[in-house]
Amino acid sequence: MSMKAIIIGCLAALVALGAALEEHPHFCIKTDPILLSEIDRHVVIPSEEDLQCHIRATTLTQKEKASLVDTLCADHGSTTIKRDNHHFLRLRNGELTGRGAQAEVCANGGDSVLAWVPYHTVLQNYAAELNPKERLTYIAKATNVEREKTELCHFRHTDLVNAVSDNLFTCVVMIFGDNFYGLEDNINVLVELEPLAYQLRNITYLPWRNVTNSYKMHLGNSVLRNPSGERKPIYGSLNYAFVEKILVNMSSVYRQKKLSRLPLLFEHRSSVLELDSNGMGGLDVAEKAYFGRSMDPRSEVKVQVIGQWVDQHREFDADIYEYYGHGLKRFKETLTGGRLTFIRIDNTEPVFMDPESSNLAKASLFREQKVGQIKEDPSGNYTEWENAQEDEFDEDGPGFYCWFVVTCLLLALAIILGIYILVSAHNRRNKQRQMYEVANTNVPPPA
């Protein structure tokens, strides 16, 4: 497959991947907790972001999460809460993906990313996707401004799917069930956010590297000018751009079974690249190539800059982060021994189109004698290596040039000999003809 076809395929994959990882425009993740003082405000001026976020999830603080786990999982002396198994909703990119049980929160100690979503938002966006025949309860928290109190509670599945919106709705307090809240209070439903992708950050490349050279390409044209009246080195530069390809070996990342098969985001050149299912991505790169040469006074030379495509195979270590969207990420684990390939332009070099006369080399068929050089310059650069070269040259005998001269001489001798033989034969025939003509001169003419 040609490089052009590979690049086109990569770009198509990147377009498809960008659509797959596009974050929900109306789903936002907030990390600031909702305070009672904020709920009590009567005049609220929504910002542009608030108007755009139709679905807002606010993550639990560490203190909230610790209180949640303690309430759901610790023994508070109640005989009923031990038998309860309330549920929560799972969201990915603002979409409902499933539900989880209270026992899962207790099993992992609240290690997952938990958040609160307002009850009316859940009712409007997710209630229609639930089965009305199920008999479940969901975990929520209720905040009563008048009592300045926030408590965990649970409400019925049927209230959600049947869109109960009056005082029949009750959110029963989690411990002992001695109180309840209605829709006039601020009710938020517990949800678990699922990651959209893994992000490879803090990349550390290992020393091992294998390079495969590919073809060369034309990067651009330039001109070097020396306006001064003396010969001196002149330097220049040329800006060029290309698409750098990155191919991550997916098996070196997902060799651990506990990692889900999620898309990868790769941190490279202060940017985050979206990789497709094959681990390939691309980045527009702008570089500058430097070049120079010694130039005659008041001269100029045209330059073409070329570069060579190379495949650089590297190993790397990185930190794997779970990415949940809207800038929210969380450290997952450390990756060691990952492998990738950079497909980039390297080894740039100039090609001078108009060479100067003083920079041309003189070719000669004759080899100068080292003795003559020594006489002219006794302190010259006459090294042992050159002496060895001369000895080898002398030991090789006459060589091709001597044989050529001998052959030419023999050929000339043969030609001369042939001409001599032809001339001699011609002279003999002329003498015989003359003798015949003289012998016939004494014959009288006929009467």
Side-chain angles (χ1 to χ4, degrees):
M1 182 181 295
S2 65
M3 181 62 68
K4 182 178 181 180
I6 294 177
I7 293 176
I8 294 175
C10 295
L11 294 177
L14 286 175
V15 173
L17 180 66
L21 288 181
E22 183 178 358
E23 299 181 17
H24 198 298
H26 302 303
F27 173 68
C28 302
I29 301 175
K30 298 293 183 181
T31 56
D32 298 329
I34 300 177
L35 304 178
L36 287 174
S37 58
E38 296 177 351
I39 299 174
D40 194 25
R41 294 173 184 171
H42 298 286
V43 179
V44 178
I45 302 176
S47 62
E48 181 179 352
E49 183 180 3
D50 294 332
L51 295 175
Q52 182 183 1
C53 297
H54 301 163
I55 303 173
R56 174 178 297 181
T58 304
T59 58
L60 276 70
T61 62
Q62 292 296 330
K63 184 176 180 180
E64 277 186 304
K65 187 175 291 186
S67 176
L68 173 70
V69 173
D70 179 74
T71 302
L72 294 179
C73 309
D75 185 4
H76 297 278
S78 173
T79 59
T80 59
I81 194 172
K82 296 179 181 179
R83 298 192 301 267
D84 291 336
N85 190 18
H86 308 295
H87 290 75
F88 56 87
L89 303 176
R90 285 194 172 98
L91 301 181
R92 179 187 293 126
N93 202 21
E95 303 291 337
L96 181 64
T97 59
R99 290 169 296 185
Q102 171 183 336
E104 298 179 28
V105 177
C106 297
N108 60 28
D111 185 59
S112 56
V113 176
L114 302 176
W116 301 112
V117 176
Y119 177 82
H120 63 84
T121 302
V122 176
L123 179 65
Q124 181 179 358
N125 294 276
Y126 308 120
E129 302 180 34
L130 302 175
N131 184 359
K133 296 182 179 180
E134 291 180 322
R135 295 294 181 265
L136 303 175
T137 54
Y138 294 98
I139 304 171
K141 74 170 182 178
T143 302
N144 188 288
V145 178
E146 295 179 358
R147 287 184 276 175
E148 296 184 353
K149 191 174 184 180
T150 298
E151 294 181 293
L152 287 177
C153 61
H154 59 86
F155 63 91
R156 294 174 296 180
H157 175 89
T158 53
D159 291 343
L160 183 62
V161 297
N162 293 329
V164 176
S165 58
D166 53 20
N167 290 333
L168 296 176
F169 175 87
T170 58
C171 194
V172 182
V173 175
M174 193 70 69
I175 300 177
F176 304 118
D178 57 352
N179 202 348
F180 64 89
Y181 292 84
L183 288 178
E184 66 277 4
D185 300 304
N186 188 45
I187 307 294
N188 287 275
V189 183
L190 182 68
V191 300
E192 179 185 272
L193 302 181
E194 295 183 339
L196 302 180
Y198 291 126
Q199 189 176 110
L200 301 181
R201 303 181 61 198
N202 304 326
I203 308 295
T204 303
Y205 296 106
L206 303 182
W208 175 84
R209 168 176 156 179
N210 184 20
V211 178
T212 303
N213 295 324
S214 182
Y215 61 88
K216 295 183 179 181
M217 67 176 297
H218 180 213
L219 301 178
N221 300 320
S222 183
V223 178
L224 284 178
R225 293 183 176 89
N226 182 15
S228 66
E230 59 181 8
R231 180 179 178 84
K232 63 180 181 180
I234 302 297
Y235 301 96
S237 63
L238 184 138
N239 297 321
Y240 63 97
F242 64 98
V243 180
E244 181 182 45
K245 299 298 176 184
I246 296 179
L247 178 59
V248 177
N249 188 331
M250 301 293 276
S251 61
S252 66
V253 177
Y254 289 119
R255 60 177 177 265
Q256 302 176 4
K257 296 182 178 179
K258 58 182 178 180
L259 289 178
S260 304
R261 193 77 179 187
L262 294 178
L264 288 182
L265 303 177
F266 190 81
E267 189 178 55
H268 179 62
R269 291 180 181 264
S270 301
S271 300
V272 178
L273 306 181
E274 298 179 358
L275 306 181
D276 61 10
S277 58
N278 296 322
M280 180 167 282
L283 178 68
D284 292 333
V285 177
E287 294 286 358
K288 181 177 290 188
Y290 295 92
F291 50 89
R293 65 178 292 170
S294 181
M295 295 183 60
D296 289 337
R298 297 181 181 87
S299 62
E300 68 177 32
V301 59
K302 296 180 180 179
V303 184
Q304 280 189 353
V305 178
I306 61 175
Q308 187 173 27
W309 282 101
V310 295
D311 297 346
Q312 297 180 355
H313 308 283
R314 306 290 299 268
E315 288 187 354
F316 68 96
D317 297 338
D319 293 333
I320 301 179
Y321 282 77
E322 293 175 317
Y323 182 72
Y324 294 88
H326 299 278
L328 180 63
K329 49 187 173 290
R330 188 181 68 158
F331 176 78
K332 177 69 174 177
E333 60 183 57
T334 301
L335 169 68
T336 58
R339 294 189 177 185
L340 59 81
T341 300
F342 292 109
I343 305 174
R344 58 173 56 155
I345 291 181
D346 201 359
N347 301 327
T348 58
E349 57 182 312
V351 178
F352 301 103
M353 306 302 295
D354 297 330
E356 299 176 4
S357 59
S358 60
N359 288 334
L360 292 178
K362 183 190 297 183
S364 175
L365 292 177
F366 299 95
R367 192 179 185 90
E368 297 179 355
Q369 297 296 328
K370 289 296 177 180
V371 178
Q373 293 182 2
I374 294 175
K375 290 180 179 179
E376 294 176 2
D377 187 8
S379 61
N381 297 326
Y382 182 56
T383 62
E384 294 181 357
W385 181 83
E386 292 174 338
N387 190 16
Q389 290 287 86
E390 287 297 321
D391 294 340
E392 292 176 2
F393 180 80
D394 295 335
E395 292 175 359
D396 290 339
F400 173 78
Y401 178 73
C402 294
W403 283 109
F404 176 77
V405 174
V406 173
T407 304
C408 292
L409 292 176
L410 292 177
L411 183 60
L413 183 60
I415 294 174
I416 295 172
L417 183 61
I419 294 174
Y420 175 77
I421 294 173
L422 292 176
V423 171
S424 299
H426 183 69
N427 290 336
R428 284 196 301 270
R429 285 195 297 270
N430 287 338
K431 288 180 179 180
Q432 292 177 359
R433 187 180 299 111
Q434 291 175 1
M435 291 175 61
Y436 178 77
E437 293 176 353
V438 171
N440 291 338
T441 54
N442 296 325
V443 180

